[in-house]
Amino acid sequence: MYCFARWKRSIRGSVPDLPRGSRYLVLTDSGRDSNWCVLECHADTLPPRTTPLPSGLIALIESAKSFPPALALASTDLRRKGSRDWEPTRISDFLCRALRHHLRGQPSSGYFLAEARETETGYVSAGEFVWVLHVRYDSRARCRVVTWVANDFNVYESPARDFKLPRSLITVPS
């Protein structure tokens, strides 16, 4: 079940305004200090103080779960281009456009699955396959860096040595 919830802020940080003990995954929000977030709730009924997502957005999110880079990149787009004051309708419209764009680009995206060699607790376990968006050489660190998508549909960077990659992607330029 997917819904919008307002952020509840305290000195300990921000959490979705849900009943205590609710199980959820924050899929995205509209940027720093945003008022609303998009959640996947693990409940049989819509939690109080939440607003359901439009059916079209739900269908796109479900499609993107089969291609996580689309959801991660749409979320990144929303955080970068959105505003803290955006209401659910504006967030929905933006996410629908961004998800369609990234899903339609899948055939030529170049993204691929790679096996993790290392465990980063809460993000990836050794042996798990994650979507790699790109590999680049970081001249400051003097190594290849992988940009990848975690199970929480966020984009992260790690050293290339943390993944089993084709040799052509990890050869350091001379």
Side-chain angles (χ1 to χ4, degrees), residues 11 16 24 29 65 83 97 100 121 126 130 134 166 174:
I11 57 172
Y24 61 88
D29 59 32
K65 284 184 147 184
S83 167
R97 283 191 309 276
R100 276 192 194 95
T121 305
V130 297
H134 66 273
S174 38

Side-chain angles (χ1 to χ4, degrees), residues 26-170:
V26 176
L27 297 177
T28 192
D29 59 32
S30 59
R32 186 166 178 237
D33 297 325
S34 60
N35 294 319
W36 293 90
C37 57
V38 176
L39 305 176
E40 179 178 9
C41 291
H42 304 284
D44 294 331
T45 60
L46 195 64
R49 302 181 304 276
T50 63
T51 303
L53 266 59
S55 59
L57 179 54
I58 292 170
L60 288 168
I61 289 171
E62 285 294 318
S63 295
K65 284 184 147 184
S66 296
F67 185 59
L71 188 51
L73 292 169
S75 175
T76 299
D77 292 346
L78 179 62
R79 288 182 178 130
R80 187 177 46 231
K81 297 176 183 175
S83 167
R84 69 177 304 277
D85 298 321
W86 282 13
E87 296 292 321
T89 301
R90 183 113 186 244
I91 294 169
S92 292
D93 292 345
F94 184 95
L95 277 177
C96 283
R97 283 191 309 276
L99 283 167
R100 276 192 194 95
H101 169 77
H102 292 294
L103 286 166
R104 287 177 179 151
Q106 179 273 327
S108 60
S109 69
Y111 309 143
F112 61 94
L113 288 167
E115 186 176 359
R117 293 179 193 257
E118 302 292 326
T119 295
E120 289 189 46
T121 305
Y123 298 97
V124 65
S125 299
E128 181 180 353
F129 283 77
V130 297
W131 282 96
V132 172
L133 302 178
H134 66 273
V135 180
R136 66 177 173 78
Y137 182 74
D138 183 338
S139 57
R140 182 176 284 160
R142 298 176 55 164
C143 69
R144 295 266 182 210
V145 174
V146 172
T147 303
W148 57 281
V149 177
N151 286 337
D152 63 0
F153 303 104
N154 281 292
V155 177
Y156 297 98
E157 286 191 341
S158 299
R161 67 180 170 272
D162 291 356
F163 299 93
K164 293 181 181 176
L165 299 171
R167 184 167 294 289
S168 62
L169 292 177
I170 56 175

